[in-house]
Every structure is written in structure tokens, then in C-alpha cells.
Amino acid sequence: MSSEDKESQEDELLALASIYDEDEFKRAQDVQGGETRISVDVPQNFRVYLSGNFTETLENSKLEYTVSFLPPVVLNFEFPADYPSTSPPLFTLTCKWLSQAQLTALCRHLDNLWEENRGSVVLFAWMQFLKEETLAYLNITSPFEPEITKQEKQPKEEDGCHDIKNSASTHRESSDTSTVEDIESLSILIKEILDFDQSQKEKNFNCKMFTCNICFSVKQGSECMDFKDCRHVYCKICLKNYFEIQIKDGQVHCLNCPEPECSSVAIPGQVKELVEEKLFALYDRLLLQSSLDLMADVVYCPRPSCQTPVMQDPSCTMGICSQCNYAFCTLCKMTYHGVSPCKVTAEKLADLRNEYLQADEATKRFLEQRYGKRVIQKALEEMESKKWLENNSKSCPCCATPIEKLNGCNRMRCTACMQYFCWLCMGVLSRINPYQHFSDPGSPCFNLLFQAMEIED
């Protein structure tokens, strides 16, 4: 190795280490070489399209995802002794989402770049090409469907790698079948792409500065959190306090974005990250309960000490609690009563009357079968009687017996408790002299004994 080649190699490795971080460039320990992980530039709203033609479970299905990042193209390289004066770097390319033919095309273009720059260091030019021009060079546009290839495993140092001692040109002629890792299943490919996209988005978010829309302080992204749908950003301290207040109030479905008129909702993973374990357990329990409440085929055991969710059979009104074995009617929540009508409590009677009067014919028939037609008819009669009494009678001030005034003066006597009272002010009168109330100048009913009394000619 000439001193000039050695110096050029060392300068190039030092330059790459200064330009790229540890995730993008790693220098080898025992040889003059290393590994670069190049994230290809992806246009905005780039979509990855995957069809189910490769597996039985996803046959004829379509999966399409919008991504901002794709898993990196990995370039492993080693400098021969006479690089860069005479020989090119020895290298391999691997990538999760590129086919064997696509990787071969990239390898050949890297060879061409070396020929154009023979005698000069070339790694940075290679890396810039892979980062900025890979998609355009391979004519990859959105939506992009990766080619899932199945190939025989090569005798491995590692899958997707070749003997680094071979020359670059020899490698492409004899070892192209090992330039791409074998993608064993569609689900693995999906996970690789989406996981990398998510991790890169989080990495970029954590490095930026944001203004919290609640406390208006400027903080780094690692101290903030955004809502996934609307991307409104708040600091974690403010969101933690907001989540805790809502959960303690039982408003687990109200963990919306604090931005006015924004309907985005926090996902459970975000809530778990910010609140204490006990509070998250409460949130999780309330969220499950509210979800069960929305299910038409789920009722709760009516025993106050149990309240276990019970799946009900739509064709039967009996529910049996799996926890306490209590058999109950799923309609009235009382002990199961077979085909007998549900008993109506006094509190339920008024609601039943109103529900029956406002119901259509089908609902009326259902209510009659559930509670009995006679029970409903009696409830309607009682409602009419109550309305008549409210309009035509007054209650005795002593025993509350309804009293109807047909004629006579305003001194009344209850037929139930025999108490005298005034029809005008409903005041209790003296049993000895009930008329004194109307002759006393200080009384509100003074001289009104015969008021509103019909007098015949």
C-alpha cells in the first residue's frame, strides 16, 4: 500500500465519520472499511402498495400505506491496498424492499461511477447517488409495489452478503443471487417498512423544537407529544395534567386534542406513557366498560356487588352471570320470571306510559308482550285519572286526600280526616269556629267566604 493511498483512505473514513452519525456510518475495527446505511429520499405522500397474491391468507387483498421513510440501503465496503489509485472498493448492497434485479442495476451504476472517477475517492459520491437518485434511477414511483422474490439460500457468512475479498465486478457476475435478503413473508416486509417509517418519524420529531399550544413554552420534541390525526403538539407536562383530570372525572372518551373544534383523540399508548399506572388501569377499565355499553348484546349483572358483563342471547330474555351464577331477566333486570310479564315499579310506570304513547305499532306490541296489556292499560287509566284530579281537585292540607268542590262556600271539610280547611288559601281552619278565618280582618281570606260561589236567582 502506497503512503498516498493509505492517507486518502484514512481521510475518506474520517470525512464520512464527521458527515454521518453512528446510525448511518460505522467504521470497521480490523480492516480499512465499514458499513453505511443510506436512507433513500422519499417524495411526499409516497405510497407502498402490496397485493395479497403471494400468500393464501391475503389472496386478492390490497394493502396500501403512506410512508415518509423506507428501510435503508446497506452498503458494506472494504478498501483494497491500491484504492483509490488503481482498484475500486470491494462492496455489497442489501435492502429489504428492493429486488435482486434492482440491486444488480444499482451495483452496476456504482461501478460506472467508479470508472468515471477512477483514481479518486468515490464512497461519498456512491452514497449521495443511493440517497438522492435511487428511486428515479430504478423508475420507482408511487404507489410502489416491492417485488417479493424467493430464492435459494447461499452458503452463508450472512444472508445477503458475499465474500468481501472478491472484486466488485466479479461479485456481480457470480453472486447476484445473494445481493438481496430473502423476504420470507409479506407480513415481515410490511412490519419492516412501517416500523422503520415510524422510528424515523419519532427521531425527527424528537430533534425539533415546538411551542406548546397550552402553556406556550418552547420545548424540544422529546418533551412534547402530538396527536396522530391532527398533529397538534403539546408538552407532555400539560397533557399529563389534562389526561389526569379527564380520567378522574370518568371522561375517558373525552381525551380529545385541546385545540378548539378539533376531533382528534389520544390513543391508549399515549395515555399510558404519561399517566401513572393506577390511573391508566382506571382509564383502561372505564374505556372497556364504555365500549361494552355500546354493544347491544352485552348486559351487566344487576347485583350491585357483581356488575359482571354478560353476553345475552337475542332470542331469549334470560341472562346468567358467569361470576355469581345469578339468573336474571335481561329486560327488567329482576330475577328471571320465565314467560310472565316483567313487573313494573312505581318509578318505571310513568316512563312506561310515555314510552307507550310515543311508540309505533311494533314497539307497542313489544311493550304489551313484555309488561302485559292489562298493566299498560291500567297505567294509562291512572295517568288520565291523575290528570283529571290535577285539573279538578285539591289535596287536603292534612291527609292529602283529593277534594273536589262542586258548590257551596269556601269552608271545606275533608271527608277522610274530617279536617276543616279554606278552599282559597288551603289553610287549616279551627274545628270550634271554622268561620272565624273569613271574619278576621287580618286574614288573607277576610270576607271571601262566598267568593266564586254560584248563586241561583
Side-chain angles (χ1 to χ4, degrees):
M1 177 186 296
S2 67
S3 60
E4 292 183 0
D5 283 339
K6 184 176 181 180
E7 185 178 350
S8 297
Q9 293 177 18
E10 192 64 30
D11 289 344
E12 185 172 21
L13 292 174
L14 291 173
L16 293 176
S18 64
I19 295 173
Y20 301 100
D21 59 31
E22 294 182 357
D23 293 335
E24 297 174 301
F25 172 74
K26 291 182 181 180
R27 181 173 177 174
Q29 297 296 325
D30 52 350
V31 295
Q32 286 289 87
E35 178 184 277
T36 63
R37 305 176 68 85
I38 301 115
S39 293
V40 175
D41 287 346
V42 178
Q44 190 174 10
N45 296 323
F46 186 79
R47 288 170 294 151
V48 177
Y49 171 84
L50 300 166
S51 66
N53 299 331
F54 302 100
T55 63
E56 295 180 359
T57 56
L58 294 175
E59 187 174 359
N60 299 324
S61 64
K62 297 179 181 179
L63 300 173
E64 189 169 293
Y65 303 92
T66 300
V67 297
S68 301
F69 303 92
L70 290 169
V73 177
V74 181
L75 170 66
N76 286 279
F77 66 91
E78 182 182 330
F79 295 142
D82 55 354
Y83 168 81
S85 61
T86 306
S87 300
L90 306 175
F91 71 94
T92 59
L93 281 181
T94 57
C95 184
K96 299 288 185 182
W97 47 275
L98 291 177
S99 68
Q100 172 184 324
Q102 290 169 327
L103 280 172
T104 299
L106 292 178
C107 288
R108 286 174 179 161
H109 187 74
L110 296 186
D111 278 344
N112 294 335
L113 289 177
W114 160 253
E115 293 297 335
E116 294 172 5
N117 297 275
R118 180 179 288 272
S120 303
V121 293
V122 75
L123 276 180
F124 183 75
W126 282 1
M127 295 172 68
Q128 286 299 103
F129 164 74
L130 293 173
K131 177 177 178 61
E132 298 174 0
E133 301 180 46
T134 293
L135 296 184
Y137 183 78
L138 298 176
N139 294 320
I140 294 176
T141 57
S142 177
F144 165 58
E145 183 174 9
E147 295 181 21
I148 302 179
T149 57
K150 293 186 177 182
Q151 56 196 14
E152 294 182 2
K153 299 280 185 178
Q154 300 297 316
K156 63 180 179 180
E157 291 175 0
E158 289 183 2
D159 291 344
C161 296
H162 70 289
D163 188 347
I164 201 76
K165 296 178 182 179
N166 292 341
S167 68
S169 299
T170 303
H171 165 60
R172 252 90 60 204
E173 293 173 1
S174 61
S175 303
D176 278 342
T177 56
S178 60
T179 57
V180 62
E181 291 186 57
D182 182 27
I183 302 171
E184 296 181 350
S185 70
L186 182 61
S187 61
I188 293 177
L189 177 60
I190 295 172
K191 189 176 188 302
E192 289 283 350
I193 294 176
L194 297 183
D195 286 354
F196 182 81
D197 180 62
Q198 183 62 31
S199 65
Q200 288 299 108
K201 286 178 179 177
E202 291 178 359
K203 180 180 177 180
N204 288 357
F205 180 84
N206 291 338
C207 294
K208 293 181 180 179
M209 302 298 293
F210 298 94
T211 300
C212 174
N213 292 340
I214 296 178
C215 64
F216 301 105
S217 58
V218 179
K219 296 186 178 182
Q220 194 169 2
S222 57
E223 301 178 82
C224 299
M225 182 175 287
D226 64 336
F227 284 80
K228 302 304 180 183
D229 294 334
C230 62
R231 296 298 178 186
H232 291 141
V233 179
Y234 307 90
C235 73
K236 291 182 178 180
I237 295 176
C238 291
L239 280 184
K240 180 178 184 295
N241 295 332
Y242 168 60
F243 288 167
E244 288 177 347
I245 292 173
Q246 293 290 77
I247 295 172
K248 289 177 181 177
D249 289 342
Q251 304 297 326
V252 293
H253 282 294
C254 297
L255 302 184
N256 294 2
C257 171
E259 190 75 15
E261 299 182 2
C262 183
S263 59
S264 296
V265 180
I267 61 176
Q270 292 176 312
V271 180
K272 186 175 183 179
E273 181 181 344
L274 295 184
V275 303
E276 298 177 355
E277 185 176 350
K278 290 184 178 179
L279 201 58
F280 179 77
L282 173 62
Y283 161 82
D284 198 34
R285 186 171 66 253
L286 293 175
L287 193 64
L288 174 61
Q289 182 175 339
S290 61
S291 299
L292 291 174
D293 290 341
L294 297 176
M295 298 173 64
D297 56 349
V298 174
V299 294
Y300 290 92
C301 175
R303 284 184 170 177
S305 60
C306 185
Q307 297 292 305
T308 301
V310 178
M311 296 291 293
Q312 64 172 338
D313 185 352
S315 62
C316 179
T317 60
M318 182 176 69
I320 300 178
C321 177
S322 60
Q323 189 70 24
C324 64
N325 295 320
Y326 178 55
F328 61 94
C329 174
T330 58
L331 298 176
C332 65
K333 304 301 187 294
M334 304 298 288
T335 302
Y336 184 64
H337 46 75
V339 295
S340 301
C342 297
K343 294 183 179 179
V344 186
T345 61
E347 294 79 7
K348 175 68 178 176
L349 197 58
D351 295 334
L352 175 60
R353 289 193 298 258
N354 296 332
E355 183 181 358
Y356 185 83
L357 291 174
Q358 298 173 7
D360 54 23
E361 290 302 320
T363 305
K364 285 182 178 179
R365 286 195 298 271
F366 168 75
L367 293 176
E368 289 172 357
Q369 292 174 355
R370 175 179 173 182
Y371 297 105
K373 190 171 183 178
R374 293 181 61 185
V375 172
I376 294 178
Q377 188 63 38
K378 183 178 179 182
L380 294 176
E381 292 174 355
E382 289 181 359
M383 182 175 66
E384 293 298 324
S385 298
K386 185 177 181 181
K387 285 183 179 179
W388 189 92
L389 290 173
E390 289 175 352
N391 295 330
N392 298 278
S393 68
K394 295 181 180 181
S395 298
C396 170
C398 285
C399 67
T401 299
I403 304 294
E404 179 188 7
K405 183 175 183 294
L406 297 176
N407 206 341
C409 66
N410 290 320
R411 185 223 53 148
M412 303 293 294
R413 186 175 69 170
C414 176
T415 57
C417 65
M418 301 303 176
Q419 175 64 53
Y420 291 106
F421 63 93
C422 174
W423 183 259
L424 299 177
C425 68
M426 299 304 293
V428 177
L429 304 181
S430 170
R431 290 180 180 273
I432 299 175
N433 186 9
Y435 295 101
Q436 184 180 358
H437 174 72
F438 302 97
S439 59
D440 184 358
S443 171
C445 301
F446 176 64
N447 279 340
L448 299 179
L449 177 62
F450 301 104
Q451 185 187 32
M453 176 178 173
E454 294 182 4
I455 301 177
E456 296 180 1
D457 292 338

